Amino acid sequence: MTKSIFVSLFALASVTGLQQAAADDGRTSLFLVDRAGVIGTTTTSPAFDFRGPFFQSLGTNGRSCASCHRAAQGWGISAEEVAARFAATRGLDPIFRANDGSNCDHNIEPSTVEGRRRAYSLLTGRGLIRVTVAAPANAEFNVISVLNPYGCGDTSTLSLYRRPLPSTNLRFLSTVMWDGRESSTQTGTQKIAFPTNPGDLLADLAHQSVDATNGHAQASTPPTPQQQQAIVDFEMALATAQAIDSQAGKLDDDGATGGPAALGTHTAAAFFVGINDPLGGNPHGTTFTPVIFSLFDAWLSGRSHGDDGRAARRASMARGQALFNSKPIDITGVAGLNDDLNADHIPGTCGTCHDSPNVGNHSVSAPLNIGVGDVDSPLDVRYLPVMTLQNKTTLQIKTTTDPGRALITGLWKDVGRLKGPILRGLASRAPYFHNGSAPSLADAVDFYDARFHIGFTPQEKRDLVAFLNAL
Ligand code: HEC
Ligand code: HEC
């Protein structure tokens, strides 16, 4: 049944433009305009508490979690919005802090607008935050050089340029952070696994809230256990997805099941770690299905009320969904798959890696290197530093723009491996990939086409992009 969206203006300084509405299922929803239409978030809490610790400055530099995790950008940030924030505040909003917001923390001129514009160019241009990670002392490799165009070329503590991951849809996580560092014994956190979930996840998120407050917000005292709990409760209650497409209309209309409501209820209730693992990791032994998304099945026929533009757009999304679920991809050279399975070619689809039903992340922790951070990526990564690593035993050399999981485990085979993120709410938070190297979803699709020689037709690309925009 379609329910009408009643939005009332909810004015609050730190969350300008937020709209909050009580839906007829008793849940509260937020609807905000994005590039493709409207992004929606539901909460299982009675209301959104915009005054809780997630929105408070808990450190010393004025930042809150919401400086980098914003409802209108699917609880991440978009480069476009950050650039607008720079313009509106002349680069003085608390996101513009040199500890990790600037390209480097030294040799910058933060006292003038021009100086700030230069210092924060990766944040305003690509939505990137500088994450610093030291290689473990017992690593299988040495970092032998770092060529960083912005300075910050230290080889013991590396500067990595990464996109904030959305602080929503967290129920579906099989690892926390791009490199899984908040779900790793090496950092005193827990691996997320079927028997211990969701307790492992909740503990990891509490730990993450402390690290984020100490790091991003430069706190002198960590958040209290009560504050940690309130932050985790707030985040865990959220479900976010594109709710309306400006051409296709409501994404849960006419039998379709897009939008945040179905995600937060049915999909969340059905989820468990390993729910659809291609390598046989389902704890109940259920076999893998490549049919990951079923949101727009009802629109495949192309039949719809009203004007033709809407019907055409809906049919395009449904075709895009079918491509995601079935277009053959010859997976080669992916660290974490081809090497671990000792197979040069693995016949797959998008869902071989994005396997969680109607969510699209990996349903078990499986860090992979698909080549996004490789120096020879089909996308332009020349704005990133180049790091050269050498294996201590074999003396083999690897160059990369981000060693990824290897900086946590110290393992040579983990160089460049990162998690596949949740594929919901994409339209609200460009650019894409951990390093922001795909400015648009069309660029992300072009990356796959070039990297895996898929051979998408122009029409197939348009359909796939229409589908990704509707997630
Ligand atoms: C300065 C920007 C910034 C601030 C402030 C910030 N974060 Fe983040 N957040 C990031 C970045 C960047 C990442 C990804 C880093 C990585 O994986 O290496 C991230 C990742 C996360 C993740 C992981 C999601 C996933 O899919 O694994 C969660 C949860 C999160 N942040 C919550 C918070 C909370 C809670 C706060 C406040 C206590 C906070 N963040 C403050 C930038 C920020
Ligand atoms: C071999 C595994 C694999 C396959 C196949 C694969 N992906 Fe990915 N995908 C990943 C990984 C890993 C990432 C994260 C990469 C990174 O940022 O370094 C990712 C990231 C993405 C992102 C960016 C999400 C974000 O929040 O930035 C999109 C969009 C995406 N994939 C769509 C697709 C589509 C569409 C297909 C099929 C054409 C596909 N993927 C096939 C593993 C895969």
Side-chain angles (χ1 to χ4, degrees):
M1 210 191 77
T2 33
K3 60 174 181 267
S4 60
I5 299 169
F6 175 76
V7 281
S8 64
L9 242 187
F10 190 88
L12 198 85
S14 65
V15 282
T16 324
L18 281 187
Q19 299 177 319
Q20 180 155 217
D24 53 9
D25 58 2
R27 290 172 166 241
T28 308
S29 307
L30 271 175
F31 296 101
L32 297 139
V33 172
D34 69 13
R35 293 294 278 178
V38 173
I39 180 95
T41 296
T42 66
T43 177
T44 49
S45 302
F48 291 93
D49 178 11
F50 297 119
R51 291 175 184 79
F54 191 93
F55 296 91
Q56 293 167 12
S57 163
L58 301 178
T60 57
N61 62 12
R63 282 177 173 169
S64 72
C65 306
S67 300
C68 301
H69 297 283
R70 300 171 75 86
Q73 282 71 45
W75 300 94
I77 50 175
S78 71
E80 188 182 27
E81 186 279 328
V82 175
R85 223 190 302 177
F86 188 99
T89 65
R90 305 170 75 242
L92 295 173
D93 181 274
I95 197 173
F96 304 109
R97 294 288 181 260
N99 61 312
D100 63 5
S102 52
N103 302 347
C104 185
D105 57 357
H106 52 260
N107 293 335
I108 53 175
E109 295 164 54
S111 54
T112 65
V113 184
E114 257 325 299
R116 290 194 288 277
R117 200 180 304 285
R118 279 192 299 275
Y120 293 100
S121 65
L122 290 177
L123 182 52
T124 54
R126 303 265 178 180
L128 293 172
I129 295 293
R130 191 173 62 91
V131 174
T132 47
V133 182
N138 62 352
E140 293 176 351
F141 55 87
N142 289 313
V143 181
I144 56 174
S145 79
V146 175
L147 288 177
N148 187 327
Y150 316 100
C152 284
D154 188 356
T155 52
S156 52
T157 299
L158 299 180
S159 285
L160 314 162
Y161 297 88
R162 294 194 182 153
R163 297 275 297 126
L165 283 156
S167 61
T168 183
N169 299 328
L170 299 179
R171 179 66 194 95
F172 306 108
L173 291 188
S174 54
T175 194
V176 180
M177 311 309 263
W178 285 105
D179 51 18
R181 68 182 178 280
E182 295 285 358
S183 309
S184 300
T185 48
Q186 292 87 349
T187 60
T189 50
Q190 295 179 44
K191 189 172 159 53
I192 294 173
F194 175 74
T196 48
N197 196 252
D200 43 18
L201 170 66
L202 297 174
D204 289 351
L205 291 174
H207 191 275
Q208 191 278 339
S209 76
V210 175
D211 285 346
T213 306
N214 292 344
H216 300 306
Q218 296 177 286
S220 42
T221 50
T224 64
Q226 291 78 4
Q227 287 170 325
Q228 297 171 35
Q229 186 67 48
I231 288 172
V232 175
D233 288 349
F234 176 82
E235 299 175 313
M236 281 295 291
L238 307 177
T240 303
Q242 193 70 9
I244 297 175
D245 179 88
S246 48
Q247 295 168 60
K250 286 190 68 194
L251 295 167
D252 56 0
D253 208 7
D254 258 344
T257 53
L263 182 64
T265 51
H266 310 300
T267 312
F271 177 82
F272 54 88
V273 175
I275 183 170
N276 188 36
D277 180 46
L279 302 182
N282 182 296
H284 309 303
T286 312
T287 49
F288 168 74
T289 169
V291 181
I292 310 302
F293 286 97
S294 58
L295 306 174
F296 306 116
D297 285 353
W299 290 354
L300 244 189
S301 63
R303 158 205 65 85
S304 169
H305 317 299
D307 65 288
D308 287 338
R310 167 172 292 201
R313 177 78 173 172
R314 290 180 173 190
S316 172
M317 283 171 182
R319 288 194 304 270
Q321 176 176 273
L323 288 166
F324 190 99
N325 290 340
S326 65
K327 183 77 176 177
I329 302 177
D330 175 19
I331 299 172
T332 56
V334 173
L337 279 178
N338 299 93
D339 52 352
D340 286 3
L341 299 177
N342 199 13
D344 287 347
H345 296 268
I346 298 172
T349 56
C350 299
T352 306
C353 307
H354 298 284
D355 60 39
S356 251
N358 290 318
V359 182
N361 61 325
H362 215 103
S363 66
V364 298
S365 173
L368 303 174
N369 181 7
I370 59 170
V372 165
D374 291 359
V375 287
D376 60 354
S377 164
L379 294 168
D380 182 3
V381 291
R382 283 172 299 178
Y383 59 91
L384 292 168
V386 175
M387 298 157 194
T388 304
L389 279 52
Q390 184 168 43
N391 187 304
K392 287 177 181 169
T393 315
T394 66
L395 306 184
Q396 196 194 341
I397 297 276
K398 285 182 183 174
T399 54
T400 179
T401 61
D402 190 331
R405 179 105 184 113
L407 292 179
I408 311 306
T409 61
L411 298 177
W412 183 244
K413 70 179 174 79
D414 282 346
V415 172
R417 293 190 190 185
L418 294 160
K419 77 164 172 180
I422 288 170
L423 301 182
R424 300 299 304 255
L426 289 168
S428 64
R429 54 179 171 89
Y432 304 98
F433 297 130
H434 73 274
N435 55 18
S437 60
S440 70
L441 289 167
D443 295 306
V445 169
D446 282 341
F447 165 84
Y448 283 107
D449 199 34
R451 167 67 178 78
F452 295 105
H453 311 289
I454 300 174
F456 285 126
T457 66
Q459 181 64 52
E460 285 179 329
K461 286 186 184 176
R462 281 196 295 277
D463 291 345
L464 194 50
V465 170
F467 165 66
L468 294 171
N469 265 308
L471 290 175

